[in-house]
Amino acid sequence: MNDHFKYADERFADLQMLRYRLNGFEQLTLEQKKYVYCLSQATLFGRDIVFDQFGAYNLRIRKVLEAIYTDFSIDHATEEFRQLEVYLKRVWFSNGIYHHYGSQKFVPAFSKDYLKACMQQVDPKCLPLENGQTAEQLFELIAPVVFDPSYMPKRVNKADGEDLVQTSACNFYEGVSQQEAEDFYAAQKAASADDQEPVSYGLNATLVKKNGRLEEVKWSAQGRYAKAIKKIVFWLNKAAQYTENEAQKEVIALLVSYYETGDLRYFNEYCKRWVKALDGKVDFINGFIEVYGDPLGLKGSWEGLVEYVDEEATRRTELTSQNAQWFEDHSPVDPRFKKKQVKGVSAKVICAAMLGGDEYPSTAIGINLPNADWIRAEYGSKSITISNITDAYDKAAQGNGFREEFVDSPKTLDMITRYADALDNLHTDLHECLGHGSGQLLPGTDPDALKAYGNTIEEARADLFGLYYVADRKMVELGLVPDETAYQAQYYTYMMNGLLTQLVRIERGHQIEEAHMRNRALIAHWCLEHGDAMRLVKLDGKTYLEITDYPQLRQLIAELLAEIQRIKSEGDFEAARQLVEQYAIKIDPALHDEILARYERLHLAPYKGFINPMLLLQYDGQGEVADVVPYYGESYAHQMLRYSSEYGTLI
């Protein structure tokens, strides 16, 4: 690593590839580095799982495209080949043929005839042919999936009033309607209503209908995805040889038991033990975790992350976690919904060492787990902010003209330049460490009562908690912000994003689909409508945000936080539906056109993702591992092809 590290790499479609540095990795002990290496292997072996989860045809389409891309008997200099290359790079990025954020199907810019001709030209041994299938038969199978815009058009459909299961292309249900799925899991919950430790029903299984009967196919070393999961288990067991303490060893053993059996009770035990395993410098996330990819919010997409502590930055998050009870007590929500005793809140700033599954190539900048509300309440949670990822975003964005184009005045721009990056990190800390861990459900409230709206409401709740407290005098007292006005930079950039600039990520004519984007739109539009703290103004034909009363805006944030916590705590589905449908989804077409035109003139890509470093083993004269060294020179295409070759297990 050196001072000339290149953060920005290639760009294609609406995507910019970045690199992240493993800051301080060389300071880890050799045993810690070996631990990171083995955990990284376990992370990379989950890649095929998430491809299959995001669409039943994704793996076959990927393999077909890779066979064409690497066949040099096909002319690589034609425009159709170049368009196929862009399409393949998008498929790699999104773990399938659907946009990673908007979830709509990509439109290929090469022809159906071109794909057919290429498939007939490549060596059939390179194609994913099954049971005597010919290349032409495989083409006929995948052609409508790739080219027909009306066939399986969206990975996750959240449109109110439609059957969300049958109209979503994600591969979590087979031959099942939304009502059947909801009834199936409602019956499971009712049958176990008296259990002291409920499991997350449906989290790790495909729900299928066989002979008119519903049943689950578990994702385990004995069930679906067995080939991939066995590889994950192998490397987890290898990693157990290099753990820093017995607690980490116990965590791995419980996760392995869960993978081998598919029993969600083991997952509960793993989560409880993982939350308490705080002493090591290295940690990881590995499994079926987040449920945003399921329209019903039940099925966990596979994800992996290997991390090590950024000790200097962690001092910031420790201040917030140490004061968690104070924040809970002073929250502006109804006392009925507050935790009387906040347990086990831990927060660290970490460096990512390897990204995998649904965390790769696009990744979160902060994470709070586990997701089960009862585990949070009884055992606590872990929060992380990923410093080397946010650092890469910041370094790559320097001087790109974005803020100058969309901020309303030089005075506001100066304020943002001075405070915004630090306040963004603080808001992420508060969102993950305190926001997700705050509040409680009333007794008897179903954690899944908000159904398709649950993810948006939960993200809004955490964001509002962070927004409310980033403006509190407590932040100044703790030394986390320099003065009592610094929060205004965060308020401005957040509201500008929710009202205006996040629209650059939406195609013309589309609505807002992704839960985090819906959350930001909900908060910003609700605050715009419920007071006169801010307004949208026209200057020289351009729309800008103007905030005239920051204290009033904070009061509006408090009011909305109180209402959203009530909705969450009471499981008020109808109130959640009304909030999301009214404020979080619709887009003004004229404003959208304006924002897109202004953004296009900046020649920026609205989405960013990451190329992983390679972790290279170095050996001594006796053939023993002497070091693990990160290498940053691998190209995006080489990495993706290597991953398909080395970690491809399911096709």
Side-chain angles (χ1 to χ4, degrees), residues 505-516:
R505 296 182 164 195
I506 308 292
E507 290 187 18
R508 283 181 174 86
H510 288 227
Q511 296 183 331
I512 302 174
E513 300 284 349
E514 199 274 336
H516 296 80

Side-chain angles (χ1 to χ4, degrees), residues 164-311:
L164 303 184
V165 168
Q166 294 189 340
T167 57
S168 295
C170 54
N171 194 22
F172 296 126
Y173 305 91
E174 294 177 8
V176 179
S177 71
Q178 177 180 347
Q179 192 63 56
E180 287 174 325
E182 289 177 347
D183 291 345
F184 180 87
Y185 289 113
Q188 287 194 338
K189 290 176 183 177
S192 60
D194 295 330
D195 289 357
Q196 290 187 340
E197 297 193 348
V199 301
S200 300
Y201 287 110
L203 184 71
N204 66 332
T206 306
L207 185 62
V208 304
K209 184 186 286 185
K210 291 184 178 180
N211 301 317
R213 191 165 178 263
L214 296 180
E215 62 181 64
E216 285 191 320
V217 180
K218 288 287 186 180
W219 307 332
S220 73
Q222 312 303 321
R224 187 166 292 194
Y225 306 137
K227 289 182 179 179
I229 290 172
K230 286 177 180 177
K231 290 288 188 180
I232 294 169
V233 165
F234 173 85
W235 282 103
L236 288 173
N237 284 328
K238 281 278 191 183
Q241 301 174 26
Y242 305 109
T243 53
E244 300 168 89
N245 50 58
E246 284 301 311
Q248 290 176 339
K249 200 178 296 288
E250 292 172 12
V251 165
I252 289 176
L254 286 166
L255 181 57
V256 166
S257 295
Y258 165 57
Y259 271 138
E260 288 179 337
T261 63
D263 189 337
L264 285 165
R265 289 171 295 184
Y266 277 121
F267 184 65
N268 281 352
E269 293 304 312
Y270 156 73
C271 289
K272 291 188 293 183
R273 197 69 191 90
W274 177 78
V275 162
K276 298 298 183 184
L278 300 172
D279 292 336
K281 186 162 185 177
V282 178
D283 204 351
F284 69 97
I285 296 166
N286 187 296
F288 306 105
I289 309 293
E290 301 293 355
V291 296
Y292 301 107
D294 174 12
L296 301 187
L298 298 172
K299 308 292 179 182
S301 301
W302 193 92
E303 66 180 67
L305 170 69
V306 186
E307 64 193 64
Y308 57 96
V309 175
D310 180 337
E311 292 181 345

Side-chain angles (χ1 to χ4, degrees), residues 26-283:
E26 66 280 359
Q27 296 170 13
L28 298 180
T29 68
L30 179 57
E31 292 294 290
Q32 288 170 330
K33 290 177 181 178
K34 290 178 181 178
Y35 189 32
V36 167
Y37 179 85
C38 294
L39 291 173
S40 296
Q41 293 293 105
T43 291
L44 295 174
F45 268 112
R47 180 172 180 250
D48 274 8
I49 295 175
V50 77
F51 263 91
D52 189 72
Q53 288 181 316
F54 285 2
Y57 298 92
N58 283 337
L59 285 170
R60 276 172 285 189
I61 292 169
R62 188 191 79 194
K63 191 157 187 176
V64 166
L65 295 171
E66 288 174 346
I68 296 169
Y69 184 67
T70 56
D71 190 323
F72 285 90
S73 72
I74 294 171
D75 187 352
H76 286 203
T78 68
E79 180 61 22
E80 289 220 273
F81 182 86
R82 282 191 286 269
Q83 293 298 336
L84 181 141
E85 179 181 26
V86 171
Y87 183 83
L88 172 57
K89 287 181 176 181
R90 297 185 77 185
V91 168
W92 283 332
F93 190 96
S94 295
N95 296 300
I97 65 172
Y98 299 92
H99 196 281
H100 74 290
Y101 233 69
S103 86
Q104 69 273 14
K105 186 160 65 175
F106 302 140
V107 178
F110 55 92
S111 70
K112 190 185 298 186
D113 288 342
Y114 178 74
L115 179 63
K116 184 175 184 179
C118 288
M119 289 179 66
Q120 292 173 333
Q121 186 171 338
V122 301
D123 185 344
K125 293 178 182 178
C126 297
L127 297 175
L129 303 175
E130 299 177 350
N131 302 322
Q133 189 180 46
T134 65
E136 184 168 353
Q137 289 170 331
L138 177 59
F139 168 79
E140 294 298 332
L141 178 68
I142 67 172
V145 185
V146 173
F147 293 101
D148 185 347
S150 65
Y151 183 64
M152 304 174 71
K154 295 180 71 173
R155 177 167 64 89
V156 185
N157 182 29
K158 298 179 181 178
D160 191 31
E162 298 183 13
D163 187 309
L164 303 184
V165 168
Q166 294 189 340
T167 57
S168 295
C170 54
N171 194 22
F172 296 126
Y173 305 91
E174 294 177 8
V176 179
S177 71
Q178 177 180 347
Q179 192 63 56
E180 287 174 325
E182 289 177 347
D183 291 345
F184 180 87
Y185 289 113
Q188 287 194 338
K189 290 176 183 177
S192 60
D194 295 330
D195 289 357
Q196 290 187 340
E197 297 193 348
V199 301
S200 300
Y201 287 110
L203 184 71
N204 66 332
T206 306
L207 185 62
V208 304
K209 184 186 286 185
K210 291 184 178 180
N211 301 317
R213 191 165 178 263
L214 296 180
E215 62 181 64
E216 285 191 320
V217 180
K218 288 287 186 180
W219 307 332
S220 73
Q222 312 303 321
R224 187 166 292 194
Y225 306 137
K227 289 182 179 179
I229 290 172
K230 286 177 180 177
K231 290 288 188 180
I232 294 169
V233 165
F234 173 85
W235 282 103
L236 288 173
N237 284 328
K238 281 278 191 183
Q241 301 174 26
Y242 305 109
T243 53
E244 300 168 89
N245 50 58
E246 284 301 311
Q248 290 176 339
K249 200 178 296 288
E250 292 172 12
V251 165
I252 289 176
L254 286 166
L255 181 57
V256 166
S257 295
Y258 165 57
Y259 271 138
E260 288 179 337
T261 63
D263 189 337
L264 285 165
R265 289 171 295 184
Y266 277 121
F267 184 65
N268 281 352
E269 293 304 312
Y270 156 73
C271 289
K272 291 188 293 183
R273 197 69 191 90
W274 177 78
V275 162
K276 298 298 183 184
L278 300 172
D279 292 336
K281 186 162 185 177
V282 178
D283 204 351

